[in-house]
Amino acid sequence: MKPMSPSTRKLRYLALTANLSLLLWVFLWQSVISPHPHLNNYVVAGMWILPLLLPLKGMLQGKPYTHAWANFILMFYFLHALTLLWIDGGERWLALIELGLATAAFFANILFARTRSRELGNKLKKLSQVEREEREAHGDK
């Protein structure tokens, strides 16, 4: 595998830091800072961090594709934070931190995935090129 440039390595560390910070924040929020009053706080915290653990192996290995699809998971936390900002005045500052971390992780993942994919030569073809190749393969003009 091709070695990472220093700027790509910095983006990777930024992405890892943001994702791991969000994981830690969600765990602390749900288990210590503001636990659910009627449920076991560690079970609830575990349920909240489980989705963030799914892409962790690939992210630690520096796979750009995993960083890219991890953003779908981050949207859950982004929407959760926005919803709480809108409806729950008591946990607004907690949601604001979650929103900041989810946003930072989202952009860091995008930047790392794009930069690393370019380094590796993984480029998406333009739609016009794909259509032209399909026409040529099927004998259409």
Side-chain angles (χ1 to χ4, degrees), residues 2-127:
K2 193 173 183 182
M4 265 186 235
S5 70
S7 61
T8 304
R9 190 171 288 116
K10 287 178 186 175
L11 288 172
R12 178 173 179 248
Y13 291 142
L14 179 64
L16 283 173
T17 300
N19 282 282
L20 291 173
S21 297
L22 179 63
L23 190 141
L24 179 63
W25 175 251
V26 169
F27 178 78
L28 289 174
W29 179 359
Q30 299 300 326
S31 64
V32 179
I33 299 171
S34 181
H36 194 281
H38 306 295
L39 300 173
N40 183 321
N41 51 347
Y42 293 109
V43 172
V44 172
M47 290 172 48
W48 273 98
I49 65 168
L50 183 64
L52 291 170
L53 294 175
L54 295 175
L56 192 58
K57 181 182 176 199
M59 293 173 84
L60 291 173
Q61 294 173 343
K63 295 182 179 181
Y65 184 78
T66 306
H67 279 270
W69 74 257
N71 283 343
F72 290 109
I73 294 171
L74 288 174
M75 288 298 98
F76 173 71
Y77 298 91
F78 186 81
L79 291 173
H80 174 255
L82 285 177
T83 302
L84 285 181
L85 282 171
W86 186 261
I87 64 169
D88 189 358
E91 293 193 337
R92 239 179 221 140
W93 70 276
L94 300 169
L96 193 58
I97 294 171
E98 180 184 30
L99 180 64
L101 290 172
T103 302
F106 181 83
F107 284 111
N109 284 340
I110 289 172
L111 292 172
F112 171 72
R114 183 178 65 183
T115 306
R116 184 63 178 151
S117 292
R118 285 182 182 163
E119 282 182 355
L120 295 173
N122 301 336
K123 283 179 63 176
L124 292 176
K125 296 177 183 178
K126 292 185 177 181
L127 182 58

